[in-house]
């Protein structure tokens, strides 16, 4: 069997034209791709490999073999207009759009290096292409203390177990600073004991680029989470997920979490013109800002958030003076 990283699979125009997704997959795990800006070998995480492969496969399906009546084309014939059409049709968020452009820039640079094309059609799109709103970077969103209190008052209050689950899940994100990818994977045994100050420790397992860490769920919502754990342990549902999607015990879809958070923000009366981003990320940002406002050390806040690098936490500390002024 041929070595999947063999250069013959990704460094000739013939392979890229005949089987672009296979050539990309081989290039992705080769030494030629995983090199940082200093020219050093850098091993990609398995999660990154999966994401990049999915991104390029989607691009290849929609651009090289379009379903809107346009004729199929090969990579050397792809233009900047083709890339813009792909990005606009999929209505990507600014972050995902930028990630796509950088990946395509790198891919077409490689194709140019093997003599497959003269110009890079993705080059410069990240600079010239505006955001979907037509404005510059949207500001990072977080809730004021009053808005946060309003959200907690608006949490689902039904008697059914799904309403109780959603109540505890949103409370855990707001009170513990969790990502969506983390909260939907929490096992039942991740919920620790209540602390003397009323808070609650929560073990958070790796998800995507994250790492194993422990956060402290604020005393304001710890009771909600502790009560839900007791309820969940008594439910005749299979699996070990703390927040199952339904009777089969399967995991929640991230889109479901987004819809539920959006609904709670609306129920709380949080104006959309003030808080434009209506997903769980805004709740995570609120947790980070609140911790720093109350004097928690940045290193501790970084641990609660599961940051791998100090610069990720400094992003929030840089925002804090602005928050105090306004």
């Amino acid at each position: 069997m041929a070595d999947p990283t063999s250069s013959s699979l990704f460094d000739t125009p013939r392979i890229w034209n005949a089987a672009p997704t296979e050539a990309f997959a081989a290039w992705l795990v080769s030494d030629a791709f995983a090199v940082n800006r200093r020219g050093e070998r850098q091993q990609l995480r398995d999660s990154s490999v999966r994401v990049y492969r999915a991104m390029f496969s989607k691009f290849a399906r929609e651009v090289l073999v379009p379903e809107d009546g346009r004729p199929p084309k090969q990579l050397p014939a792809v233009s900047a207009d083709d890339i813009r059409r792909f990005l606009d049709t999929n209505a990507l968020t600014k972050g995902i759009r930028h990630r796509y452009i950088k990946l395509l820039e790198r891919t077409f640079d490689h194709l140019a290096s093997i003599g497959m094309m003269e110009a890079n059609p993705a080059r410069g799109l990240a600079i010239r292409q505006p955001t979907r709103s037509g404005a510059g970077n949207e500001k990072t969103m977080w809730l004021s203390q009053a808005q946060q209190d309003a959200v907690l008052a608006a949490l689902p209050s039904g008697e059914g177990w799904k309403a109780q689950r959603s109540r505890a899940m949103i409370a855990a994100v707001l009170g513990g600073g969790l990502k969506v990818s983390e909260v939907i994977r929490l096992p039942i045994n991740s919920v620790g004991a209540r602390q003397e100050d009323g808070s609650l420790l929560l073990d958070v397992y790796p998800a995507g680029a994250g790492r194993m860490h422990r956060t402290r769920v604020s005393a304001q919502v710890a009771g909600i989470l502790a009560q839900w754990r007791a309820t969940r342990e008594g439910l005749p549902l299979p699996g070990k997920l703390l927040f199952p999607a339904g009777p089969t015990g399967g995991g929640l879809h991230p889109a479901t979490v987004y819809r539920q958070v959006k609904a709670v923000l609306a129920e709380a009366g949080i104006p959309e013109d003030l808080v434009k981003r209506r997903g769980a990320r805004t709740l995570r940002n609120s947790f980070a800002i609140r911790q720093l406002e109350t004097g928690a050390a940045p290193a501790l806040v970084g641990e609660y958030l599961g940051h791998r690098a100090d610069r990720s936490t400094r992003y929030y500390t840089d925002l804090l003076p602005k928050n105090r002024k306004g």
Side-chain angles (χ1 to χ4, degrees):
M1 180 180 295
D3 181 354
T5 64
S6 171
S7 62
S8 63
L9 292 181
F10 63 82
D11 67 355
T12 63
R14 181 180 62 83
I15 298 296
W16 279 93
N17 282 329
T21 55
E22 289 81 354
F24 177 86
W27 175 56
L28 189 63
V29 297
S30 72
D31 290 344
F33 183 92
V35 176
N36 62 24
R37 294 179 179 178
R38 295 187 297 273
E40 300 167 340
R41 180 77 168 88
Q42 184 175 2
Q43 183 66 44
L44 288 179
R45 290 189 293 269
D46 290 343
S47 58
S48 297
V49 171
R50 290 194 297 270
V51 169
Y52 289 149
R53 289 187 64 173
M55 289 171 67
F56 185 80
S57 295
K58 180 178 178 64
F59 176 80
R61 286 195 309 271
E62 298 185 16
V63 175
L64 303 184
V65 191
E67 297 180 350
D68 58 2
R70 289 179 291 117
K73 61 175 57 182
Q74 293 183 324
L75 285 167
V78 172
S79 67
D81 286 341
D82 291 325
I83 298 174
R84 290 193 188 95
R85 185 184 301 111
F86 167 78
L87 298 172
D88 293 340
T89 299
N90 284 279
L92 305 172
T93 64
K94 183 177 183 296
I96 299 299
R97 186 187 188 103
H98 180 76
R99 194 173 183 183
Y100 250 116
I101 292 172
K102 299 307 290 183
L103 179 63
L104 294 175
E105 278 185 350
R106 193 168 182 179
T107 301
F108 285 112
D109 275 346
H110 172 70
L111 298 183
S113 73
I114 62 175
M116 196 168 173
M117 54 203 316
E118 294 183 0
N120 187 332
R123 182 68 61 193
L125 292 184
I127 299 174
R128 294 194 298 266
Q129 190 65 28
T131 62
R132 284 188 294 160
S133 65
N137 295 339
E138 291 186 73
K139 294 180 180 179
T140 300
M141 299 289 172
W142 65 86
L143 304 177
S144 67
Q145 182 64 62
Q147 291 171 334
Q148 182 171 311
D149 293 341
V151 166
L152 292 176
L155 291 175
S157 57
E159 295 298 325
W161 73 263
K162 286 189 176 181
Q164 296 176 46
R165 173 210 64 198
S166 297
R167 175 182 176 85
M169 177 187 65
I170 297 173
V173 174
L174 181 58
L178 301 180
K179 299 177 183 177
V180 172
S181 59
E182 293 170 341
V183 75
I184 62 178
R185 291 177 173 83
L186 285 177
I188 299 172
N189 63 6
S190 63
V191 182
R194 297 289 293 273
Q195 304 299 296
E196 291 184 2
D197 63 355
S199 64
L200 181 150
L201 298 179
L202 186 66
D203 290 326
V204 185
Y205 295 83
R211 61 175 177 81
M212 178 72 183
H213 66 283
R214 174 174 288 180
T215 188
R216 183 183 293 270
V217 177
S218 67
Q220 194 174 17
V221 302
I224 298 175
L225 190 57
Q227 183 178 11
W228 166 248
R229 174 181 174 166
T231 300
R232 172 67 180 94
E233 289 178 328
L235 292 174
L237 300 178
K240 299 180 180 180
L241 288 178
L242 182 61
F243 302 116
T248 62
L252 287 163
H253 192 280
T256 301
V257 180
Y258 172 78
R259 288 193 296 269
Q260 292 186 0
V261 172
K262 182 178 180 180
V264 168
L265 290 174
E267 180 66 22
I270 309 298
E272 290 193 32
D273 59 336
L274 292 181
V275 181
K276 297 178 182 179
R277 297 192 174 185
R278 315 291 282 182
R281 184 54 183 255
T282 294
L283 304 189
R284 175 175 163 87
N285 293 342
S286 303
F287 169 85
I289 292 294
R290 204 96 313 121
Q291 289 290 320
L292 292 168
E293 281 183 330
T294 55
L300 182 59
V301 176
E303 175 61 28
Y304 290 161
L305 296 172
H307 287 160
R308 287 181 176 272
D310 293 342
R311 64 177 180 274
S312 299
T313 312
R314 286 199 299 270
Y315 174 80
Y316 290 107
T317 59
D318 290 343
L319 292 172
L320 190 59
K322 300 176 183 178
N323 188 53
R324 285 175 174 168
K325 292 178 182 178

